[in-house]
Amino acid sequence: MLLEKLTGFVKVKYIAVLAAVAAVAILGYLWLAPSGQQRQEKIARQQLEEGVNAYKQRDTYKALSALQKAMELTKDGLNDTIYFEAAVYNALLYLNAGLLKEARQRMKPLKYIEVKNSFASLFYLRAVAIQTAELDGNYDMASKYMEQAMDLSRRMFPDNKRMEYVDKANVCELNYMKGDKQKAWQGVREIEHTNLKLEPYHDMCFSEVYYVHGALLYDEAKYDSAYHYAEKGYTCAKNIGQHANELLTLQLKCRIDSVRNDLKAYQTHRNAIDQLNMELKPAEILAQEALIKEQAKIDQLKQDNDRKQVANSLLIVLLVVLAVFFVFVVYTIRKDARNKQRLAELEKERLDLEINRKKLENELLKFKQQDTEMKLDRANKDNAHMNVILSNQEDGRREGETLGSLENNLRLKYPDFMEHMKAVYPQLTENDIRVLGFMRMGYSSKVIASALNITMNSLTTTRYRLKKKLNLTSTDDLKTFIIAEKKE
């Protein structure tokens, strides 16, 4: 007895130790896992800020490096907002270089997020509008995106009117691209005559406005003024490194040179376009090289994440092993498991008996329903038999009626019937009309034959001839026809 108590005490103490170890491991995991994610999120936030600052300073490759790191750290759902902001600025680097397809490729997987106190959402809508207009040629949809951008700018930055004028410049260019020159002129005049100081967005805004102004003047054959505004737009675009707008203004200059037959100026501007295109191609190559250089660092981050995941996996395995061991010890200590199993078997037997009892009740109920149905069928047959007997008695009574009484009944119920039939069907004899009228009254064949003092065969022949006279087919029902002929 003493030995059993001592053994039970040792087992309980052993289980308590194991439970304590498992609890410590679980608490350690719950403490370490969030802190690791928080550190990773903090690094991603720092990389995003560094990339945005480099973008503002036009340091393309530093911006690309930092933004790629931020995207890599948050791509698995750690922080969707940081990933969205980094991906938008990353796409803008390609968009500003005139690489629209590459920018779209990087923005296509993104799901739009409205990020408060950030320009990322506004830049996303602008970029989508530009890509929709220039790559798809869908200017109506592009205008809708730009209207969303302007609405977002008013809501999110109500005190920053300068940003709104940048959107107005984009809308102005879209109106020109889709051929709405009147709205394009209105936008140009509004922006050029504003008293608001647009710094630091002056060049960004006017690089587009001056280009549109020059293009509108070119369409009106005012080539000198068009060249003047094209030159101003080119200067603004060059100041901020907007290669796409540089190309547009240079192409406008080439068109003006062509109209003027100024071959020298045309060649100069054509060479400038070729040179700019040559600069844009290396820009993409250098961007790829920058990605490759940063890949090593990104791989290092991946390895760190993998190590953390392995450590977490080992911890989970340890917790599972401890749990299994704990269950095994509990199972060996508790001897009443068999009793529970036996109780479960007895409960199952009871449920089986209950199910069988319900089955028997259902069968009994079904038998009662069948017996009731048989009684109802028998009663219906008896009623049908009685109806036949009553009908035969009624027919016998009616057979005694004279032709005169039947005609009186017909004239009382349908007073105009015989005159109507004579007028509509003059080919019918008076006897034919009587037969039709008696049929309409619902008299049986026996009653009609008796009243007319003819046999049943003669009545059948009369009906056949009536169908012929009335142009009815053999399948048409004479009674149905005469009922439908004239409803009193």
Side-chain angles (χ1 to χ4, degrees), residues 356-393:
N356 291 331
R357 184 182 64 80
K358 288 184 178 180
K359 285 183 179 179
L360 291 173
E361 289 178 354
N362 291 335
E363 290 178 357
L364 180 60
L365 179 61
K366 185 177 180 180
F367 176 76
K368 289 181 178 179
Q369 289 176 347
Q370 291 176 349
D371 184 60
T372 303
E373 290 175 356
M374 291 174 64
K375 289 179 180 179
L376 288 174
D377 288 342
R378 220 171 11 250
N380 290 334
K381 290 179 180 179
D382 293 341
N383 290 336
H385 182 67
M386 289 299 298
N387 288 336
V388 170
I389 294 172
L390 292 174
S391 176
N392 291 335
Q393 291 177 352

Side-chain angles (χ1 to χ4, degrees), residues 98-229:
L99 303 172
L100 295 179
K101 292 182 180 179
E102 289 75 4
R104 168 174 277 187
Q105 183 180 359
R106 285 153 181 78
M107 290 184 64
K108 193 172 183 180
L110 289 181
K111 184 178 180 181
Y112 175 74
I113 299 176
E114 188 171 306
V115 185
K116 294 183 179 179
N117 302 321
S118 172
F119 291 115
S121 301
L122 183 60
F123 289 161
Y124 174 89
L125 293 173
R126 287 180 184 172
V128 173
I130 293 171
Q131 294 164 12
T132 303
E134 298 197 16
L135 294 179
D136 301 335
N138 191 342
Y139 303 114
D140 293 333
M141 184 59 68
S143 298
K144 290 181 181 179
Y145 282 119
M146 196 56 65
E147 288 173 3
Q148 291 181 22
M150 294 177 68
D151 179 68
L152 179 64
S153 179
R154 295 188 193 101
R155 288 190 291 106
M156 195 173 290
F157 310 105
D159 299 328
N160 192 345
K161 297 295 183 182
R162 295 167 296 182
M163 289 295 295
E164 184 176 345
Y165 273 88
V166 174
D167 291 326
K168 288 182 178 181
N170 289 327
V171 172
C172 181
E173 184 175 359
L174 283 174
N175 286 329
Y176 175 74
M177 292 171 69
K178 68 180 181 180
D180 194 343
K181 295 182 180 181
Q182 183 179 357
K183 288 187 178 179
W185 269 120
Q186 291 175 357
V188 166
R189 293 188 182 103
E190 179 186 358
I191 297 171
E192 288 184 349
H193 295 149
T194 182
N195 295 324
L196 184 66
K197 293 182 180 180
L198 298 179
E199 298 297 342
Y201 307 113
H202 179 276
D203 289 337
M204 184 185 300
C205 178
F206 279 90
S207 65
E208 295 186 52
V209 173
Y210 287 148
Y211 161 72
V212 175
H213 196 158
L216 290 168
L217 291 171
Y218 174 84
D219 293 341
E220 296 176 358
K222 299 176 181 178
Y223 302 120
D224 293 338
S225 299
Y227 187 90
H228 170 72
Y229 281 100

Side-chain angles (χ1 to χ4, degrees), residues 421-456:
M421 294 301 291
K422 287 178 182 179
V424 176
Y425 302 102
Q427 71 272 26
L428 298 180
T429 65
E430 188 171 350
N431 194 55
D432 292 337
I433 296 173
R434 286 195 190 98
V435 171
L436 293 174
F438 296 160
M439 289 177 66
R440 178 162 184 168
M441 289 288 291
Y443 291 123
S444 67
S445 297
K446 289 181 180 180
V447 173
I448 296 171
S450 176
L452 295 174
N453 196 22
I454 60 176
T455 65
M456 291 294 293

